[in-house]
Amino acid sequence: MAKQINVALIGNPNTGKTSVFNQLTGLNQKVGNYPGITVEKKEGICKLPRGLRAHILDLPGTYSLNASSIDENVVIELLLNKNDKDYPDVAVVVSDVENLKRNLLLFTQIKDLGIPTILVINMADRMERKGISLDVELMEERLKTKIALVSARKNMGIEELKEMIINYRHIPVEPCVNASVIDPDYFGRLRKAFPNQSLYKLWLVITQDVNFGNINRSEITSNTDFHTKSISDLKRLQQKETILRYQFINGVLRETMTVDKDAATDLRSRLDRILTHKVWGYVIFFGILLLIFQAIYSWSSYPMDLIDAAFASLGEMARNSLPPGDFTSLIAEGIIPGLGGIVIFIPQIAFLFLFISILEESGYMSRVVFLMDRIMRRFGLSGKSVVPLVSGTACAIPAVMATRNIEHWKERLITILVVPFTTCSARLPVYLIIIALVIPDRSFLGFNLQGLTLMILYLLGFGMAIFSAWALDKIMKTRSKSYFVIEMPNYKVPMLKNVAINVVEKTKSFVFGAGKIILAISVILWVLASYGPGDDFNKADEIVTAKYENPSEMPEQDILEEEIASYKLKHSYIGHMGRFIEPAVEPLGYDWKIGIAIISSFAAREVFVGTLATIYSVGSDQEETIKNRMAAETNPVLGGPLFTFASGVSLLLFYAFAMQCMSTLAIVKRETNTWKWPLLQLITMSGFAYLVALAAFQLLK
Ligand code: GDP
Ligand code: MG
């Protein structure tokens, strides 16, 4: 195997780390988690000339090496632990040319750890407009490193960066700031006690709660020589260190950078004035949401119709071309409809993520966070809760992870508890099919009623999240103390590559994450529906035929077959299970088939549609799409169609509020380290959902 270089991309948030990462690795990347904790880990491979390969790690954004969140801790632990398999041979600090002063603080800290450190000055394409000019050579000399002037957007400077990575051994590792001058005496004693360790690493270990390599933190801090400093002494020294670093940075920038102030435009401040306006800000945000949901509806209907038709004919083809028997029936009635139930929602999910990533990329999402902080405060949440709540529209699992940025534990806990109310993409398939069935496809004041319903459901989920946060805040008597700091990045035209990679990756994880479960459950359901106990199931043919004593009363062949199939289904294993829970769901307007689908939804909500697809096509030989099949169902108690406005709304509300996701429960357990909170979510959310669905059906029927 060729030699592999470990590269870590480090930098403040929004400096373009991920963009540089995408340029270096393309689609050669994978996203996972750091072991034991739930911070997202992005890594990829970059092929370099001369057969070399670089393993690139896109680390979470961090402002300094003085950790204040779990995300930042990941960076520090990696840089302090030489034994970590990802320990970088070379660190690449990504900075934004417009915020060099702040960005360089982190650079100087990392440089002082003695790791070869390359400085990337990104967003070089904006220098001309902002009137910034740099003396890169002089800066390299003063910072004692190699500098790559890069524009990830224009794909400029990336080749030079690769060249620097290859030659990382030539980068000097001497520090650029001598931190020990803040307390020479103390650092002198440290030096003597641990002569073989990097002094700056020791200092970092002492000032924060991390271990490194084979030195244990307690080993240092319990050493009487170093016990002499109180926490507040250490904090004061840390501040001294920061001031020292800024003095150094200011000196460097004075010599090497000039900014022609007149060239700077005030477009940003004018945009900010409107987009974060007390009234217009919200109106615009609301308008954008409305537009997004309308677009999801109308644009994705074309590919969805195609997929629908394709899977219908695929099933037909399998039935016609394979020999009849259990195997064919498994393929045609279990696997193909199950797969179709996943694939059909790819267009909508892709569109949703397309819009979310455009909002993020453009810098607008940060304004939304800022705007929402005014409201969130009142409900015991922080402005930072908006990010989890908005990511909750994709999936509650990354959203629960995203709460790690909230420093205040109670605000964080409340956010975790309410996030599952936001409408995740797994609910989308359920909503879409029910809406298509029970909401007329008409316009109201120029808006499509179905799109409007979908938007109301999203707002309902969001509203419920906010309301329960408020209630929890009252119950827990939280007085929130955290301060709200948010970076306002410049407005930018979104980078196509970033958006595309994000959409592909999110859609992939939906398809493969959910797909496996959906397929497995489709097969289990097919088995449960294709076999049954006793004669009722096994002799269904004879029993149904026997009802017609007089051969002249015998109905036509295909009607008879349907009757047999439905009789069989009713007496299959799944039929028994469904009828067992039917009394509980009947007051909500559902029959036993929907009952089954609800139960299987606990594995993953989107299974609902696949389940119904399987249940219905098992009963039918006809080439019908799932939607038509559902429309033809009748209510066993009330007669008439099963999916009416009343039962449809009841079902929509049930899915809006119920806690039906095993994976979310598992992640909440992991984040809160107790079963107490996930169980609370399961019981209260599902109980509430049941009551609301019950009330809705009883009032509307
Ligand atoms: P990260 O938070 O450090 O991972 O930063 P991202 O890679 O997500 O980028 C933040 C924003 O900067 C996005 O809107 C990017 O489109 C934008 N961006 C990244 N690189 C460049 C660049 O070279 N030039 C310009 N003008 N914008 C860039
Ligand atoms: Mg990033």
Side-chain angles (χ1 to χ4, degrees):
M1 203 182 91
K3 155 93 177 115
Q4 185 161 307
I5 307 172
N6 264 342
V7 181
L9 289 179
I10 312 170
N12 294 13
N14 279 310
T15 52
K17 287 179 302 304
T18 303
S19 311
V20 171
F21 177 75
N22 287 343
Q23 290 292 9
L24 286 174
T25 62
L27 276 172
N28 266 329
Q29 46 174 276
K30 67 170 202 248
V31 182
N33 274 339
Y34 289 93
I37 54 168
T38 48
V39 177
E40 192 177 78
K41 178 175 183 180
K42 266 190 150 169
E43 50 193 330
I45 293 291
C46 171
K47 292 217 174 73
L48 298 169
R50 287 172 246 144
L52 288 170
R53 285 150 56 95
H55 169 262
I56 319 257
L57 195 59
D58 181 12
L59 285 162
T62 174
Y63 288 104
S64 70
L65 289 184
N66 312 325
S68 62
S69 73
I70 301 175
D71 276 9
E72 291 187 344
N73 235 339
V74 167
V75 178
I76 295 161
E77 299 224 329
L78 174 66
L79 295 179
L80 292 185
N81 184 3
K82 272 210 161 102
N83 302 325
D84 194 307
K85 73 169 175 32
D86 292 329
Y87 184 83
D89 297 307
V90 51
V92 174
V93 173
V94 181
S95 64
D96 167 4
V97 71
E98 289 180 58
N99 292 302
L100 265 186
K101 185 174 157 187
R102 175 164 48 72
N103 294 174
L104 283 178
L105 177 70
L106 180 67
F107 168 81
T108 65
Q109 286 188 305
I110 289 169
K111 173 94 175 113
D112 293 358
L113 290 173
I115 300 170
T117 306
I118 297 169
L119 178 63
V120 165
I121 300 183
N122 190 27
M123 319 232 181
D125 53 296
R126 298 182 59 86
M127 286 171 66
E128 198 176 331
R129 268 184 55 203
K130 295 281 168 173
I132 300 173
S133 49
L134 292 174
D135 183 342
V136 175
E137 254 170 59
L138 183 60
M139 203 184 250
E140 283 186 329
E141 207 174 290
R142 300 283 273 112
L143 296 175
K144 301 188 179 109
T145 188
K146 294 299 273 179
I147 296 179
L149 202 53
V150 165
S151 167
R153 170 174 303 248
K154 300 260 155 75
N155 199 8
M156 268 163 32
I158 299 290
E159 290 311 313
E160 288 79 354
L161 174 60
K162 286 183 186 170
E163 202 55 42
M164 287 176 197
I165 291 175
I166 296 177
N167 296 316
Y168 74 93
R169 282 179 215 279
H170 302 304
I171 297 169
V173 290
E174 58 194 298
C176 51
V177 176
N178 179 4
S180 63
V181 302
I182 54 177
D183 189 339
D185 180 43
Y186 185 71
F187 277 81
R189 273 183 287 149
L190 262 182
R191 169 85 300 157
K192 252 194 241 136
F194 300 96
N196 300 322
Q197 296 294 340
S198 142
L199 205 54
Y200 191 56
K201 280 189 183 180
L202 285 169
W203 172 237
L204 285 179
V205 172
I206 289 170
T207 47
Q208 48 214 314
D209 200 6
V210 288
N211 293 316
F212 88 95
N214 28 26
I215 294 200
N216 197 297
R217 180 166 189 269
S218 54
E219 205 179 306
I220 307 174
T221 45
S222 64
N223 186 319
T224 42
D225 267 1
F226 309 106
H227 221 85
T228 50
K229 298 250 177 255
S230 66
I231 303 255
S232 59
D233 279 350
L234 288 175
K235 280 264 172 293
R236 248 206 339 275
L237 279 181
Q238 257 186 330
Q239 281 161 9
K240 261 176 122 174
E241 181 203 329
T242 306
I243 293 170
L244 183 75
R245 290 186 186 280
Y246 272 128
Q247 280 168 349
F248 169 76
I249 292 164
N250 282 336
V252 173
L253 290 181
R254 243 196 320 273
E255 284 177 69
T256 57
M257 182 167 88
T258 56
V259 182
D260 174 7
K261 287 269 192 289
D262 294 341
T265 63
D266 64 345
L267 175 71
R268 176 189 153 140
S269 60
R270 259 184 295 167
L271 265 179
D272 269 349
R273 224 172 297 149
I274 305 172
L275 293 181
T276 59
H277 187 268
K278 274 192 193 115
V279 179
W280 298 119
Y282 296 101
V283 172
I284 291 170
F285 181 44
F286 195 75
I288 289 179
L289 278 183
L290 193 69
L291 243 157
I292 290 177
F293 289 117
Q294 288 294 316
I296 288 176
Y297 246 103
S298 44
W299 294 357
S300 46
S301 63
Y302 305 102
M304 286 177 73
D305 288 346
L306 281 179
I307 294 171
D308 201 19
F311 273 90
S313 51
L314 203 64
E316 189 66 12
M317 228 165 67
R319 254 190 302 272
N320 293 339
S321 54
L322 295 172
D326 278 2
F327 178 70
T328 301
S329 139
L330 170 66
I331 303 261
E333 281 150 17
I335 292 178
I336 292 178
L339 282 177
I342 310 164
V343 175
I344 193 154
F345 296 105
I346 291 178
Q348 267 151 335
I349 282 159
F351 274 125
L352 181 65
F353 285 122
L354 176 71
F355 287 114
I356 288 184
S357 44
I358 288 177
L359 292 189
E360 269 172 356
E361 270 280 307
S362 63
Y364 178 65
M365 200 64 116
S366 304
R367 273 71 189 181
V368 173
V369 172
F370 171 76
L371 204 61
M372 289 319 230
D373 194 58
R374 297 178 194 162
I375 301 175
M376 296 310 223
R377 286 269 151 224
R378 295 181 212 156
F379 303 102
L381 295 166
S382 113
K384 288 191 181 171
S385 310
V386 170
V387 177
L389 289 178
V390 172
S391 357
T393 56
C395 176
I397 293 159
V400 168
M401 293 176 202
T403 62
R404 284 173 171 251
N405 281 332
I406 304 172
E407 294 86 8
H408 198 262
W409 167 244
K410 273 198 178 156
E411 288 172 355
R412 183 169 169 223
L413 179 62
I414 292 180
T415 312
I416 291 177
L417 290 178
V418 305
V419 147
F421 275 123
T422 55
T423 305
C424 67
S425 56
R427 285 183 180 100
L428 196 56
V430 184
Y431 287 173
L432 295 172
I433 200 134
I434 306 287
I435 287 175
L437 275 176
V438 303
I439 306 290
D441 188 8
R442 266 191 274 121
S443 279
F444 177 72
L445 299 177
F447 289 111
N448 177 291
L449 271 183
Q450 297 186 332
L452 220 50
T453 309
L454 186 66
M455 193 181 101
I456 290 172
L457 282 165
Y458 270 78
L459 291 180
L460 204 63
F462 197 70
M464 194 55 203
I466 299 281
F467 171 77
S468 23
W470 173 82
L472 284 167
D473 186 38
K474 290 280 167 274
I475 295 167
M476 296 180 174
K477 302 218 183 325
T478 319
R479 285 276 65 89
S480 63
K481 287 179 207 76
S482 77
Y483 295 99
F484 179 57
V485 191
I486 174 135
E487 176 108 0
M488 289 284 191
N490 285 319
Y491 292 103
K492 304 206 174 69
V493 180
M495 272 170 69
L496 192 67
K497 190 164 186 170
N498 287 354
V499 173
I501 286 182
N502 197 17
V503 169
V504 169
E505 192 212 285
K506 291 284 175 9
T507 311
K508 236 169 66 186
S509 74
F510 168 81
V511 171
F512 294 109
K516 269 181 286 187
I517 305 174
I518 296 177
L519 199 59
I521 289 183
S522 299
V523 172
I524 293 174
L525 286 169
W526 173 83
V527 170
L528 288 176
S530 303
Y531 300 93
D535 282 354
D536 262 340
F537 182 86
N538 294 313
K539 299 208 172 117
D541 283 29
E542 294 155 40
I543 294 170
V544 174
T545 324
K547 280 201 292 193
Y548 302 99
E549 282 162 24
N550 184 345
S552 65
E553 284 172 19
M554 191 76 88
E556 281 179 38
Q557 186 61 24
D558 35 333
I559 296 182
L560 182 70
E561 269 175 20
E562 259 193 38
E563 212 171 300
I564 294 172
S566 120
Y567 188 85
K568 266 185 142 170
L569 186 56
K570 197 166 177 185
H571 293 95
S572 65
Y573 289 111
I574 210 168
H576 283 281
M577 284 165 63
R579 274 176 297 146
F580 179 74
I581 67 156
E582 190 163 32
V585 295
E586 198 190 279
L588 278 56
Y590 317 154
D591 66 354
W592 56 270
K593 296 177 188 173
I594 301 182
I596 294 284
I598 287 180
I599 288 184
S600 48
S601 288
F602 275 88
R605 289 185 184 91
E606 60 274 30
V607 163
F608 177 83
V609 180
T611 306
L612 286 184
T614 311
I615 291 179
Y616 292 143
S617 48
V618 165
S620 155
D621 275 356
Q622 285 162 18
E623 177 195 330
E624 276 177 335
T625 60
I626 164 80
K627 200 179 114 189
N628 296 338
R629 197 67 186 78
M630 286 170 78
E633 283 293 299
T634 54
N635 187 308
V637 186
L638 304 172
L642 178 67
F643 290 96
T644 59
F645 183 68
S647 65
V649 168
S650 160
L651 203 53
L652 287 175
L653 290 173
F654 186 83
Y655 271 82
F657 297 134
M659 175 48 135
Q660 281 177 297
C661 178
M662 294 185 313
S663 324
T664 304
L665 291 171
I667 199 116
V668 171
K669 195 269 169 180
R670 191 157 65 161
E671 292 293 304
T672 59
N673 214 7
T674 155
W675 278 110
K676 178 170 139 196
W677 301 113
L679 283 178
L680 181 88
Q681 282 178 313
L682 178 66
I683 293 165
T684 52
M685 289 177 67
S686 307
F688 179 74
Y690 186 87
L691 292 178
V692 172
L694 179 69
F697 182 70
Q698 297 300 334
L699 288 175
L700 293 172
K701 78 172 176 192

